[in-house]
Amino acid sequence: MPVDGPQYPVNLVLRGRSVLVVGGGAVAASKIDGLLAGGADTVTVVAPEIVDEIRSMPVAIEERRYASPEAADHRLVVTATDDPAVNHQVFLDADAAGVWVNSADDPANCTFTLPARVRRGPILLTIATGGHSPALATWLRRRFEAEFGPEYDDLLEILSAERERIKADGRSTEGLPWQEALDSGMLDLLRSNRRSEALDLLKHWMD
């Protein structure tokens, strides 16, 4: 069934799994970039024409038309062509085989949609509109991206280290005042390059 109604958010583990991208233009390049950033390392691109940007990416390239039902041979499929008939055939092949498929800007030929994304190291923030307005999702991504500075990397690092310290002491990390610590000004201290003070503040809450 194509996308229709509420959607369930997931983060897929793509490393070592076969991903097919049908299309070789700028939109396909953008989709491939997102797949690679998400850990995909076995990506095959099929299209009669391939832009130079894709050629420079660590993907397998096959310069030809899509051959039905090859989508069934992969774990995940993305289509990004300007041919509705090709997009629909890829959808039919993938869906019949139980393979998840996304068609760029074409919810009727999707079994999943792609949210707008903001990455900061291991931190991933996603924004979706249920397929109603990709433009709004992109606009919201740009607004949050401006807020999402390098201090969040530091914040994640000291939180992770503190969590491991607590576990090493034989204590449970559940039920501790993590939210209160996060609300206590740690991020502002990190923005001011006062890392040691932020760490002391965190330890105050945890101990």
Side-chain angles (χ1 to χ4, degrees):
M1 296 291 292
V3 172
D4 184 20
Q7 298 172 36
Y8 184 71
V10 298
N11 291 322
L12 299 177
V13 178
L14 298 180
R15 189 174 305 280
R17 291 169 170 82
S18 179
V19 178
L20 174 66
V21 176
V22 181
V27 174
S30 175
K31 300 297 183 184
I32 295 166
D33 189 59
L35 289 166
L36 296 175
D41 56 4
T42 312
V43 179
T44 300
V45 181
V46 171
E49 298 180 4
I50 308 288
V51 298
D52 289 341
E53 183 180 359
I54 293 176
R55 293 183 186 279
S56 68
M57 294 176 169
V59 298
I61 293 175
E62 299 184 16
E63 290 188 69
R64 58 173 176 79
R65 294 186 63 82
Y66 172 76
S68 179
E70 66 178 304
D73 298 331
H74 300 269
R75 292 290 296 274
L76 192 76
V77 177
V78 175
T79 63
T81 81
D82 56 5
D83 187 334
V86 171
N87 294 341
H88 186 58
Q89 187 60 55
V90 174
F91 166 76
L92 292 176
D93 293 343
D95 194 41
V99 175
W100 293 97
V101 57
N102 172 267
S103 184
D105 200 25
D106 187 5
N109 286 315
C110 293
T111 51
F112 74 95
T113 59
L114 294 169
R117 301 170 300 281
V118 180
R119 288 187 183 274
R120 172 61 68 179
I123 302 173
L124 175 63
L125 175 66
T126 62
I127 304 162
T129 61
H132 294 287
S133 177
L136 177 59
T138 300
W139 181 77
L140 288 169
R141 175 188 60 76
R142 289 193 293 106
R143 295 196 65 183
F144 283 109
E145 197 168 37
E147 155 70 15
F148 220 38
E151 65 274 12
Y152 283 87
D153 280 335
D154 289 339
L155 181 62
L156 176 60
E157 184 179 329
I158 66 174
L159 287 168
S160 177
E162 183 66 9
R163 183 169 178 265
E164 292 304 314
R165 182 185 72 86
I166 292 169
K167 290 167 65 177
D169 288 344
R171 299 162 55 199
S172 172
T173 61
E174 299 297 322
L176 295 175
W178 295 104
Q179 298 305 310
E180 290 84 348
L182 286 164
D183 286 337
S184 67
M186 291 172 54
L187 190 61
D188 290 334
L189 290 171
L190 291 170
R191 283 188 175 129
S192 302
N193 295 316
R194 297 158 65 188
R195 180 187 174 93
S196 62
E197 293 178 56
L199 184 56
D200 289 343
L201 185 58
L202 176 59
K203 289 184 183 297
H204 165 76
W205 282 100
M206 295 301 108
D207 292 336

